Amino acid sequence: GGGGGLGGSGPTPQGFVASPGELIFGAVQQTQSPVQSVKLSSGSASVKLVSVKLDAAAQGSAAFELMSPPADGTTIAAGQTLDVQVRFEPSAIALFESKLLIETTGPDLKTNVGLFGLGTKGLEGENEPFLKIVLDTLGYKVDVGGSGLLSTTTPLVGTEVAAPRFVAAGAGEIKIIPVARYSPEEPIPYGFYTNAETVVGTIANDQYQALNPKTDAGSKTSFADPGMSFGLFTTSKTHKTYSEDSKNAANAVKHAVRTYPLKDRAGTAVPSSYLVCFEEAANGDYQDYVFTLHNVKPAP
């Protein structure tokens, strides 16, 4: 499953907007993903759609399908919206990229919505994708230290930073968002700790092989600044995993969390934001649970 990324297309002079600015899909090869939608909003004046189509020039377009696209010439009345549905069916284990090209009447009123899909080998174990291609699909241009499995003993690979604990970077809440999860099927509570542990949310049971996984009801995407340094943790049936190596003594992997400064699809650094990547087992894929963490900096 997927959600929007860091991309986005700005409003045209008419106020026409396509939202979100990109769609992200994941599916096992030769199977279909759930359908996702792009909402076309007309703004203050009616908009005539000249065409809505996939980018024929993009090599990955064959993996995407427009479901009942609007006919050329369809009008969206002022203040109204129209949903365009897209499905992903990968033919191979790879990252597929395309664009939804939307042209409306008026001078150069063209809007593009990025389409990104990850085709995987299967579910769980050696069928899972590696961390790098997961992040490439999500649109985080980060050097994680390799395109395959990573060492479970070597600290600080790629652009990784030492961040066993964090502190707030500024006023306001600290955001924590699960962006990937490739681990066995079970609910996964996650949160932060100072001395005591606080659960912020739970990745849903059925979201065990997913991009932008959904969370259970009651889960939050942010928490108040604890006022001191804090670490992150996840909980599975077998053990807890911490961002602090010293707290993972009983686990298969001591350096079980790798933290990287967050960069967007264009390779631009996102201020005070990090990718926090958990290795729950021992194979070094570091994509068991991946979060973006915002408004923080590593604690001194």
Side-chain angles (χ1 to χ4, degrees):
L6 295 168
S9 49
T12 69
Q14 285 176 304
F16 174 78
V17 175
S19 177
E22 63 180 46
L23 296 180
I24 293 168
F25 299 85
V28 173
Q29 61 175 337
Q30 314 298 345
T31 69
Q32 294 174 343
S33 73
V35 170
Q36 293 189 51
S37 296
V38 176
K39 189 175 287 295
L40 309 183
S41 306
S42 61
S44 57
S46 66
V47 169
K48 190 173 188 180
L49 298 174
V50 176
S51 65
V52 177
K53 60 189 178 183
L54 291 169
D55 181 2
Q59 284 189 321
S61 283
F64 299 94
E65 181 186 357
L66 286 187
M67 315 291 291
S68 307
D72 294 353
T74 296
T75 296
I76 307 175
Q80 298 300 303
T81 61
L82 177 70
D83 282 352
V84 177
Q85 295 187 318
V86 184
R87 189 168 64 192
F88 173 61
E89 186 173 349
S91 57
I93 305 160
L95 168 55
F96 295 85
E97 297 184 34
S98 184
K99 289 191 187 81
L100 183 62
L101 306 178
I102 303 156
E103 187 176 353
T104 61
T105 50
D108 301 318
L109 295 185
K110 294 179 182 176
T111 305
N112 296 339
V113 174
L115 303 176
F116 303 91
L118 177 57
T120 58
K121 186 176 180 180
L123 301 178
E124 298 195 46
E126 293 181 359
N127 294 318
E128 293 179 353
F130 298 125
L131 179 62
K132 183 182 186 301
I133 199 169
V134 166
L135 299 185
D136 286 349
T137 308
L138 289 165
Y140 304 131
K141 203 154 263 179
V142 174
D143 174 9
V144 297
S147 58
L149 296 175
L150 304 176
S151 164
T152 55
T153 55
T154 308
L156 305 188
V157 296
T159 56
E160 182 186 359
V161 294
R165 284 187 173 232
F166 300 88
V167 291
E173 297 238 309
I174 291 156
K175 271 178 101 169
I176 182 168
I177 302 167
V179 295
R181 183 224 170 147
Y182 289 91
S183 66
E185 186 171 12
E186 60 177 291
I188 300 294
Y190 59 90
F192 70 94
Y193 63 90
T194 49
N195 298 320
E197 295 175 1
T198 302
V199 172
V200 176
T202 301
I203 303 176
N205 181 63
D206 64 346
Q207 300 287 295
Y208 67 110
Q209 301 276 302
L211 299 173
N212 295 311
K214 296 180 177 68
T215 52
D216 284 346
S219 296
K220 299 188 174 111
T221 54
S222 65
F223 56 93
D225 175 7
M228 61 182 85
S229 74
F230 64 92
L232 299 183
F233 72 91
T234 56
T235 306
S236 73
K237 287 175 184 168
T238 52
H239 56 267
K240 280 190 173 156
T241 305
Y242 296 91
S243 56
E244 238 168 319
D245 289 358
S246 61
K247 294 177 77 71
N248 292 320
N251 295 347
V253 178
K254 197 173 172 190
H255 190 59
V257 176
R258 296 192 182 276
T259 298
Y260 304 90
L262 183 63
K263 290 186 174 181
D264 66 14
R265 205 176 283 286
T268 305
V270 182
S272 307
S273 299
Y274 294 84
L275 280 160
V276 186
C277 310
F278 282 75
E279 174 54 79
E280 194 218 41
N283 67 344
D285 55 21
Y286 285 90
Q287 38 60 320
D288 290 334
Y289 326 112
V290 182
F291 302 86
T292 58
L293 191 64
H294 306 267
N295 188 29
V296 296
K297 57 188 178 184

